[in-house]
PDB file of all heavy atoms in Angstrom:
ATOM      1  N   GLY A  31       0.522  22.115 -13.808  1.00 98.00           N
ATOM      2  CA  GLY A  31       1.909  22.349 -14.224  1.00 98.00           C
ATOM      3  C   GLY A  31       2.618  21.200 -14.889  1.00 98.00           C
ATOM      4  O   GLY A  31       3.840  21.221 -15.011  1.00 98.00           O
ATOM      5  N   VAL A  32       1.859  20.156 -15.339  1.00 98.00           N
ATOM      6  CA  VAL A  32       2.508  19.136 -16.172  1.00 98.00           C
ATOM      7  C   VAL A  32       2.445  19.641 -17.603  1.00 98.00           C
ATOM      8  O   VAL A  32       1.385  19.668 -18.213  1.00 98.00           O
ATOM      9  CB  VAL A  32       1.797  17.765 -16.073  1.00 98.00           C
ATOM     10  CG1 VAL A  32       2.387  16.794 -17.108  1.00 98.00           C
ATOM     11  CG2 VAL A  32       1.933  17.189 -14.680  1.00 98.00           C
ATOM     12  N   LEU A  33       3.584  20.092 -18.124  1.00 96.00           N
ATOM     13  CA  LEU A  33       3.626  20.466 -19.538  1.00 96.00           C
ATOM     14  C   LEU A  33       4.183  19.274 -20.321  1.00 96.00           C
ATOM     15  O   LEU A  33       3.476  18.661 -21.100  1.00 96.00           O
ATOM     16  CB  LEU A  33       4.468  21.722 -19.739  1.00 96.00           C
ATOM     17  CG  LEU A  33       4.610  22.179 -21.199  1.00 96.00           C
ATOM     18  CD1 LEU A  33       3.262  22.460 -21.830  1.00 96.00           C
ATOM     19  CD2 LEU A  33       5.509  23.408 -21.303  1.00 96.00           C
ATOM     20  N   SER A  37       8.722  18.420 -16.824  1.00 98.00           N
ATOM     21  CA  SER A  37       8.093  19.281 -15.808  1.00 98.00           C
ATOM     22  C   SER A  37       8.271  18.674 -14.424  1.00 98.00           C
ATOM     23  O   SER A  37       8.126  17.456 -14.254  1.00 98.00           O
ATOM     24  CB  SER A  37       6.591  19.405 -16.082  1.00 98.00           C
ATOM     25  OG  SER A  37       6.349  20.018 -17.317  1.00 98.00           O
ATOM     26  N   LEU A  38       8.544  19.528 -13.438  1.00 98.00           N
ATOM     27  CA  LEU A  38       8.660  19.020 -12.068  1.00 98.00           C
ATOM     28  C   LEU A  38       7.378  18.286 -11.673  1.00 98.00           C
ATOM     29  O   LEU A  38       7.409  17.270 -10.988  1.00 98.00           O
ATOM     30  CB  LEU A  38       8.922  20.173 -11.091  1.00 98.00           C
ATOM     31  CG  LEU A  38      10.233  20.960 -11.300  1.00 98.00           C
ATOM     32  CD1 LEU A  38      10.418  21.996 -10.192  1.00 98.00           C
ATOM     33  CD2 LEU A  38      11.435  20.036 -11.342  1.00 98.00           C
ATOM     34  N   VAL A  58      -2.941  24.333 -19.978  1.00 96.00           N
ATOM     35  CA  VAL A  58      -3.405  25.683 -20.321  1.00 96.00           C
ATOM     36  C   VAL A  58      -3.035  26.044 -21.755  1.00 96.00           C
ATOM     37  O   VAL A  58      -1.952  25.678 -22.238  1.00 96.00           O
ATOM     38  CB  VAL A  58      -2.850  26.722 -19.306  1.00 96.00           C
ATOM     39  CG1 VAL A  58      -1.336  26.681 -19.238  1.00 96.00           C
ATOM     40  CG2 VAL A  58      -3.316  28.118 -19.627  1.00 96.00           C
ATOM     41  N   GLY A  61      -0.479  24.829 -24.604  1.00 94.00           N
ATOM     42  CA  GLY A  61       0.182  23.704 -23.932  1.00 94.00           C
ATOM     43  C   GLY A  61      -0.779  22.569 -23.580  1.00 94.00           C
ATOM     44  O   GLY A  61      -0.329  21.455 -23.266  1.00 94.00           O
ATOM     45  N   LEU A  81      -7.109  24.628 -17.429  1.00 98.00           N
ATOM     46  CA  LEU A  81      -7.075  25.608 -16.330  1.00 98.00           C
ATOM     47  C   LEU A  81      -5.997  26.655 -16.578  1.00 98.00           C
ATOM     48  O   LEU A  81      -4.808  26.408 -16.372  1.00 98.00           O
ATOM     49  CB  LEU A  81      -6.817  24.919 -14.976  1.00 98.00           C
ATOM     50  CG  LEU A  81      -6.682  25.888 -13.791  1.00 98.00           C
ATOM     51  CD1 LEU A  81      -7.982  26.663 -13.548  1.00 98.00           C
ATOM     52  CD2 LEU A  81      -6.266  25.161 -12.515  1.00 98.00           C
ATOM     53  N   ASP A  82      -6.453  27.829 -17.031  1.00 98.00           N
ATOM     54  CA  ASP A  82      -5.618  29.024 -16.918  1.00 98.00           C
ATOM     55  C   ASP A  82      -5.977  29.590 -15.554  1.00 98.00           C
ATOM     56  O   ASP A  82      -7.116  29.988 -15.306  1.00 98.00           O
ATOM     57  CB  ASP A  82      -5.961  30.020 -18.033  1.00 98.00           C
ATOM     58  CG  ASP A  82      -5.170  31.318 -17.886  1.00 98.00           C
ATOM     59  OD1 ASP A  82      -4.702  31.619 -16.770  1.00 98.00           O
ATOM     60  OD2 ASP A  82      -5.038  32.045 -18.879  1.00 98.00           O
ATOM     61  N   VAL A  83      -4.992  29.595 -14.667  1.00 98.00           N
ATOM     62  CA  VAL A  83      -5.279  29.905 -13.265  1.00 98.00           C
ATOM     63  C   VAL A  83      -5.766  31.354 -13.070  1.00 98.00           C
ATOM     64  O   VAL A  83      -6.294  31.698 -12.020  1.00 98.00           O
ATOM     65  CB  VAL A  83      -4.035  29.551 -12.409  1.00 98.00           C
ATOM     66  CG1 VAL A  83      -2.958  30.619 -12.547  1.00 98.00           C
ATOM     67  CG2 VAL A  83      -4.392  29.256 -10.992  1.00 98.00           C
ATOM     68  N   ALA A 109       2.128  24.013  -9.448  1.00 98.00           N
ATOM     69  CA  ALA A 109       3.436  23.987 -10.133  1.00 98.00           C
ATOM     70  C   ALA A 109       3.366  24.944 -11.308  1.00 98.00           C
ATOM     71  O   ALA A 109       3.629  24.576 -12.450  1.00 98.00           O
ATOM     72  CB  ALA A 109       3.770  22.569 -10.578  1.00 98.00           C
ATOM     73  N   ILE A 110       2.982  26.168 -11.012  1.00 98.00           N
ATOM     74  CA  ILE A 110       2.665  27.152 -12.045  1.00 98.00           C
ATOM     75  C   ILE A 110       3.612  28.343 -11.917  1.00 98.00           C
ATOM     76  O   ILE A 110       3.759  28.917 -10.833  1.00 98.00           O
ATOM     77  CB  ILE A 110       1.202  27.638 -11.876  1.00 98.00           C
ATOM     78  CG1 ILE A 110       0.236  26.479 -12.153  1.00 98.00           C
ATOM     79  CG2 ILE A 110       0.919  28.821 -12.789  1.00 98.00           C
ATOM     80  CD1 ILE A 110      -1.210  26.776 -11.797  1.00 98.00           C
ATOM     81  N   GLY A 111       4.236  28.681 -13.010  1.00 97.00           N
ATOM     82  CA  GLY A 111       5.065  29.882 -13.019  1.00 97.00           C
ATOM     83  C   GLY A 111       5.133  30.441 -14.423  1.00 97.00           C
ATOM     84  O   GLY A 111       5.214  29.694 -15.391  1.00 97.00           O
ATOM     85  N   PHE A 112       5.049  31.735 -14.524  1.00 97.00           N
ATOM     86  CA  PHE A 112       5.235  32.391 -15.826  1.00 97.00           C
ATOM     87  C   PHE A 112       5.593  33.851 -15.598  1.00 97.00           C
ATOM     88  O   PHE A 112       5.042  34.508 -14.701  1.00 97.00           O
ATOM     89  CB  PHE A 112       3.957  32.325 -16.679  1.00 97.00           C
ATOM     90  CG  PHE A 112       4.080  33.141 -17.948  1.00 97.00           C
ATOM     91  CD1 PHE A 112       4.827  32.662 -19.019  1.00 97.00           C
ATOM     92  CD2 PHE A 112       3.500  34.405 -18.046  1.00 97.00           C
ATOM     93  CE1 PHE A 112       4.985  33.426 -20.177  1.00 97.00           C
ATOM     94  CE2 PHE A 112       3.660  35.178 -19.195  1.00 97.00           C
ATOM     95  CZ  PHE A 112       4.397  34.686 -20.265  1.00 97.00           C
ATOM     96  N   VAL A 136       0.375  35.355 -12.147  1.00 98.00           N
ATOM     97  CA  VAL A 136       0.439  33.932 -12.528  1.00 98.00           C
ATOM     98  C   VAL A 136       1.317  33.137 -11.554  1.00 98.00           C
ATOM     99  O   VAL A 136       1.013  31.973 -11.261  1.00 98.00           O
ATOM    100  CB  VAL A 136       0.960  33.774 -13.978  1.00 98.00           C
ATOM    101  CG1 VAL A 136       1.093  32.302 -14.342  1.00 98.00           C
ATOM    102  CG2 VAL A 136       0.043  34.483 -14.958  1.00 98.00           C
ATOM    103  N   LEU A 163       5.701  25.196  -5.499  1.00 98.00           N
ATOM    104  CA  LEU A 163       7.118  25.074  -5.863  1.00 98.00           C
ATOM    105  C   LEU A 163       7.797  26.432  -5.895  1.00 98.00           C
ATOM    106  O   LEU A 163       7.350  27.350  -6.592  1.00 98.00           O
ATOM    107  CB  LEU A 163       7.254  24.365  -7.212  1.00 98.00           C
ATOM    108  CG  LEU A 163       6.785  22.906  -7.185  1.00 98.00           C
ATOM    109  CD1 LEU A 163       6.842  22.292  -8.573  1.00 98.00           C
ATOM    110  CD2 LEU A 163       7.617  22.091  -6.205  1.00 98.00           C
ATOM    111  N   ASP A 164       8.883  26.505  -5.153  1.00 98.00           N
ATOM    112  CA  ASP A 164       9.570  27.764  -4.912  1.00 98.00           C
ATOM    113  C   ASP A 164      10.999  27.671  -5.443  1.00 98.00           C
ATOM    114  O   ASP A 164      11.545  26.574  -5.599  1.00 98.00           O
ATOM    115  CB  ASP A 164       9.578  27.970  -3.381  1.00 98.00           C
ATOM    116  CG  ASP A 164      10.229  29.258  -2.949  1.00 98.00           C
ATOM    117  OD1 ASP A 164      10.198  30.237  -3.717  1.00 98.00           O
ATOM    118  OD2 ASP A 164      10.768  29.280  -1.822  1.00 98.00           O
ATOM    119  N   PHE A 165      11.586  28.837  -5.731  1.00 98.00           N
ATOM    120  CA  PHE A 165      13.036  28.907  -5.958  1.00 98.00           C
ATOM    121  C   PHE A 165      13.527  29.961  -4.971  1.00 98.00           C
ATOM    122  O   PHE A 165      13.039  31.104  -4.995  1.00 98.00           O
ATOM    123  CB  PHE A 165      13.337  29.298  -7.409  1.00 98.00           C
ATOM    124  CG  PHE A 165      14.781  29.129  -7.782  1.00 98.00           C
ATOM    125  CD1 PHE A 165      15.370  27.880  -7.808  1.00 98.00           C
ATOM    126  CD2 PHE A 165      15.558  30.233  -8.096  1.00 98.00           C
ATOM    127  CE1 PHE A 165      16.709  27.709  -8.145  1.00 98.00           C
ATOM    128  CE2 PHE A 165      16.903  30.082  -8.441  1.00 98.00           C
ATOM    129  CZ  PHE A 165      17.481  28.818  -8.469  1.00 98.00           C
ATOM    130  N   TYR A 174      17.052  35.890 -12.924  1.00 95.00           N
ATOM    131  CA  TYR A 174      15.737  35.519 -12.370  1.00 95.00           C
ATOM    132  C   TYR A 174      14.865  36.755 -12.104  1.00 95.00           C
ATOM    133  O   TYR A 174      13.646  36.696 -12.189  1.00 95.00           O
ATOM    134  CB  TYR A 174      15.940  34.701 -11.084  1.00 95.00           C
ATOM    135  CG  TYR A 174      14.844  33.680 -10.831  1.00 95.00           C
ATOM    136  CD1 TYR A 174      14.421  32.808 -11.832  1.00 95.00           C
ATOM    137  CD2 TYR A 174      14.249  33.583  -9.580  1.00 95.00           C
ATOM    138  CE1 TYR A 174      13.435  31.868 -11.592  1.00 95.00           C
ATOM    139  CE2 TYR A 174      13.255  32.637  -9.336  1.00 95.00           C
ATOM    140  CZ  TYR A 174      12.854  31.791 -10.339  1.00 95.00           C
ATOM    141  OH  TYR A 174      11.872  30.872 -10.101  1.00 95.00           O
ATOM    142  N   MET A 177      10.969  37.185 -11.541  1.00 97.00           N
ATOM    143  CA  MET A 177      10.480  35.893 -11.046  1.00 97.00           C
ATOM    144  C   MET A 177      10.937  35.707  -9.601  1.00 97.00           C
ATOM    145  O   MET A 177      10.231  35.105  -8.795  1.00 97.00           O
ATOM    146  CB  MET A 177      11.005  34.732 -11.913  1.00 97.00           C
ATOM    147  CG  MET A 177      10.065  34.254 -12.981  1.00 97.00           C
ATOM    148  SD  MET A 177       8.377  33.898 -12.424  1.00 97.00           S
ATOM    149  CE  MET A 177       8.562  32.248 -11.799  1.00 97.00           C
ATOM    150  N   LYS A 181       8.615  34.946  -6.526  1.00 98.00           N
ATOM    151  CA  LYS A 181       8.818  33.829  -5.588  1.00 98.00           C
ATOM    152  C   LYS A 181       8.842  34.341  -4.143  1.00 98.00           C
ATOM    153  O   LYS A 181       8.367  33.651  -3.232  1.00 98.00           O
ATOM    154  CB  LYS A 181      10.104  33.064  -5.911  1.00 98.00           C
ATOM    155  CG  LYS A 181      10.027  32.235  -7.181  1.00 98.00           C
ATOM    156  CD  LYS A 181       8.921  31.194  -7.152  1.00 98.00           C
ATOM    157  CE  LYS A 181       8.967  30.236  -8.333  1.00 98.00           C
ATOM    158  NZ  LYS A 181       7.737  29.432  -8.480  1.00 98.00           N
ATOM    159  N   ALA A 207      13.026  24.176  -4.661  1.00 98.00           N
ATOM    160  CA  ALA A 207      13.799  23.205  -5.458  1.00 98.00           C
ATOM    161  C   ALA A 207      15.071  23.828  -6.011  1.00 98.00           C
ATOM    162  O   ALA A 207      15.103  25.023  -6.331  1.00 98.00           O
ATOM    163  CB  ALA A 207      12.928  22.698  -6.612  1.00 98.00           C
ATOM    164  N   GLY A 208      16.096  23.018  -6.164  1.00 97.00           N
ATOM    165  CA  GLY A 208      17.270  23.435  -6.921  1.00 97.00           C
ATOM    166  C   GLY A 208      16.917  23.505  -8.403  1.00 97.00           C
ATOM    167  O   GLY A 208      15.826  23.080  -8.812  1.00 97.00           O
ATOM    168  N   PRO A 209      17.833  24.043  -9.229  1.00 97.00           N
ATOM    169  CA  PRO A 209      17.511  24.234 -10.654  1.00 97.00           C
ATOM    170  C   PRO A 209      17.383  22.928 -11.429  1.00 97.00           C
ATOM    171  O   PRO A 209      18.232  22.051 -11.307  1.00 97.00           O
ATOM    172  CB  PRO A 209      18.707  25.047 -11.176  1.00 97.00           C
ATOM    173  CG  PRO A 209      19.824  24.737 -10.235  1.00 97.00           C
ATOM    174  CD  PRO A 209      19.192  24.474  -8.892  1.00 97.00           C
ATOM    175  N   VAL A 210      16.309  22.816 -12.194  1.00 97.00           N
ATOM    176  CA  VAL A 210      16.075  21.639 -13.045  1.00 97.00           C
ATOM    177  C   VAL A 210      15.738  22.158 -14.435  1.00 97.00           C
ATOM    178  O   VAL A 210      14.948  23.097 -14.585  1.00 97.00           O
ATOM    179  CB  VAL A 210      14.918  20.770 -12.499  1.00 97.00           C
ATOM    180  CG1 VAL A 210      14.676  19.589 -13.440  1.00 97.00           C
ATOM    181  CG2 VAL A 210      15.224  20.282 -11.082  1.00 97.00           C
ATOM    182  N   THR A 212      13.838  22.550 -17.144  1.00 95.00           N
ATOM    183  CA  THR A 212      12.482  22.392 -17.671  1.00 95.00           C
ATOM    184  C   THR A 212      12.236  23.508 -18.689  1.00 95.00           C
ATOM    185  O   THR A 212      13.076  24.410 -18.841  1.00 95.00           O
ATOM    186  CB  THR A 212      11.453  22.547 -16.535  1.00 95.00           C
ATOM    187  OG1 THR A 212      11.591  23.863 -15.990  1.00 95.00           O
ATOM    188  CG2 THR A 212      11.661  21.517 -15.436  1.00 95.00           C
ATOM    189  N   ILE A 213      11.077  23.469 -19.338  1.00 93.00           N
ATOM    190  CA  ILE A 213      10.758  24.544 -20.296  1.00 93.00           C
ATOM    191  C   ILE A 213      10.781  25.902 -19.588  1.00 93.00           C
ATOM    192  O   ILE A 213      11.376  26.865 -20.091  1.00 93.00           O
ATOM    193  CB  ILE A 213       9.355  24.314 -20.916  1.00 93.00           C
ATOM    194  CG1 ILE A 213       9.309  22.981 -21.659  1.00 93.00           C
ATOM    195  CG2 ILE A 213       8.963  25.494 -21.803  1.00 93.00           C
ATOM    196  CD1 ILE A 213       9.818  22.991 -23.072  1.00 93.00           C
ATOM    197  N   ALA A 214      10.149  25.985 -18.409  1.00 92.00           N
ATOM    198  CA  ALA A 214      10.107  27.270 -17.690  1.00 92.00           C
ATOM    199  C   ALA A 214      11.519  27.731 -17.341  1.00 92.00           C
ATOM    200  O   ALA A 214      11.858  28.912 -17.492  1.00 92.00           O
ATOM    201  CB  ALA A 214       9.240  27.150 -16.437  1.00 92.00           C
ATOM    202  N   ALA A 215      12.357  26.804 -16.873  1.00 92.00           N
ATOM    203  CA  ALA A 215      13.715  27.179 -16.452  1.00 92.00           C
ATOM    204  C   ALA A 215      14.528  27.664 -17.650  1.00 92.00           C
ATOM    205  O   ALA A 215      15.303  28.625 -17.534  1.00 92.00           O
ATOM    206  CB  ALA A 215      14.391  25.985 -15.794  1.00 92.00           C
ATOM    207  N   PHE A 221      19.856  30.901 -16.551  1.00 85.00           N
ATOM    208  CA  PHE A 221      19.771  29.534 -16.022  1.00 85.00           C
ATOM    209  C   PHE A 221      21.032  28.717 -16.262  1.00 85.00           C
ATOM    210  O   PHE A 221      21.447  27.929 -15.412  1.00 85.00           O
ATOM    211  CB  PHE A 221      18.558  28.802 -16.615  1.00 85.00           C
ATOM    212  CG  PHE A 221      18.364  27.435 -16.011  1.00 85.00           C
ATOM    213  CD1 PHE A 221      17.674  27.290 -14.820  1.00 85.00           C
ATOM    214  CD2 PHE A 221      18.896  26.304 -16.608  1.00 85.00           C
ATOM    215  CE1 PHE A 221      17.517  26.031 -14.238  1.00 85.00           C
ATOM    216  CE2 PHE A 221      18.748  25.049 -16.036  1.00 85.00           C
ATOM    217  CZ  PHE A 221      18.052  24.914 -14.854  1.00 85.00           C
TER     218      PHE A 221
HETATM  219  P1  LIG B   5       7.277  23.826 -16.684  1.00 88.95           P
HETATM  220  O1  LIG B   5       7.357  22.386 -17.000  1.00 88.95           O
HETATM  221  O2  LIG B   5       7.457  24.798 -17.798  1.00 88.95           O
HETATM  222  O3  LIG B   5       5.920  24.112 -15.882  1.00 88.95           O
HETATM  223  C1  LIG B   5       5.395  25.395 -15.686  1.00 88.95           C
HETATM  224  C2  LIG B   5       3.912  25.228 -15.805  1.00 88.95           C
HETATM  225  O4  LIG B   5       3.187  26.432 -15.466  1.00 88.95           O
HETATM  226  C3  LIG B   5       3.515  24.876 -17.234  1.00 88.95           C
HETATM  227  O5  LIG B   5       2.704  23.728 -17.237  1.00 88.95           O
HETATM  228  C4  LIG B   5       2.751  26.108 -17.658  1.00 88.95           C
HETATM  229  O6  LIG B   5       1.831  25.849 -18.689  1.00 88.95           O
HETATM  230  C5  LIG B   5       2.102  26.489 -16.354  1.00 88.95           C
HETATM  231  N1  LIG B   5       1.445  27.782 -16.446  1.00 88.95           N
HETATM  232  C6  LIG B   5       1.969  28.951 -16.911  1.00 88.95           C
HETATM  233  N2  LIG B   5       1.026  29.916 -16.891  1.00 88.95           N
HETATM  234  C7  LIG B   5      -0.107  29.337 -16.400  1.00 88.95           C
HETATM  235  C8  LIG B   5      -1.417  29.803 -16.146  1.00 88.95           C
HETATM  236  N3  LIG B   5      -1.789  31.084 -16.383  1.00 88.95           N
HETATM  237  N4  LIG B   5      -2.341  28.938 -15.636  1.00 88.95           N
HETATM  238  C9  LIG B   5      -2.009  27.654 -15.396  1.00 88.95           C
HETATM  239  N5  LIG B   5      -0.776  27.150 -15.614  1.00 88.95           N
HETATM  240  C10 LIG B   5       0.162  27.988 -16.130  1.00 88.95           C
HETATM  241  O7  LIG B   5       8.407  24.233 -15.607  1.00 88.95           O
HETATM  242  P2  LIG B   5       8.732  23.752 -14.112  1.00 88.95           P
HETATM  243  O8  LIG B   5      10.148  24.164 -13.914  1.00 88.95           O
HETATM  244  O9  LIG B   5       8.340  22.350 -13.893  1.00 88.95           O
HETATM  245  O10 LIG B   5       7.831  24.755 -13.258  1.00 88.95           O
HETATM  246  C11 LIG B   5       6.899  24.347 -12.271  1.00 88.95           C
HETATM  247  C12 LIG B   5       7.082  25.208 -11.031  1.00 88.95           C
HETATM  248  O11 LIG B   5       8.333  24.878 -10.426  1.00 88.95           O
HETATM  249  C13 LIG B   5       7.093  26.713 -11.304  1.00 88.95           C
HETATM  250  O12 LIG B   5       6.419  27.375 -10.248  1.00 88.95           O
HETATM  251  C14 LIG B   5       8.578  27.025 -11.214  1.00 88.95           C
HETATM  252  O13 LIG B   5       8.837  28.374 -10.890  1.00 88.95           O
HETATM  253  C15 LIG B   5       8.971  26.087 -10.095  1.00 88.95           C
HETATM  254  N6  LIG B   5      10.411  25.846  -9.935  1.00 88.95           N
HETATM  255  C16 LIG B   5      11.155  25.418 -10.997  1.00 88.95           C
HETATM  256  C17 LIG B   5      12.510  25.200 -10.833  1.00 88.95           C
HETATM  257  C18 LIG B   5      13.360  24.754 -11.987  1.00 88.95           C
HETATM  258  O14 LIG B   5      14.571  24.922 -11.935  1.00 88.95           O
HETATM  259  N7  LIG B   5      12.785  24.172 -13.017  1.00 88.95           N
HETATM  260  C19 LIG B   5      13.126  25.399  -9.590  1.00 88.95           C
HETATM  261  C20 LIG B   5      12.337  25.815  -8.523  1.00 88.95           C
HETATM  262  C21 LIG B   5      10.988  26.044  -8.699  1.00 88.95           C
HETATM  263  P3  LIG B   5       2.221  26.325 -20.216  1.00 88.95           P
HETATM  264  O15 LIG B   5       3.676  26.180 -20.396  1.00 88.95           O
HETATM  265  O16 LIG B   5       1.404  25.429 -21.081  1.00 88.95           O
HETATM  266  O17 LIG B   5       1.811  27.761 -20.298  1.00 88.95           O
END
Side-chain angles (χ1 to χ4, degrees):
V32 172
L33 178 59
S37 297
L38 298 185
V58 57
L81 176 63
D82 176 338
V83 77
I110 294 171
F112 173 76
V136 177
L163 294 176
D164 181 29
F165 191 65
Y174 211 49
M177 263 310 277
K181 289 301 188 193
V210 178
T212 61
I213 300 276
F221 185 84

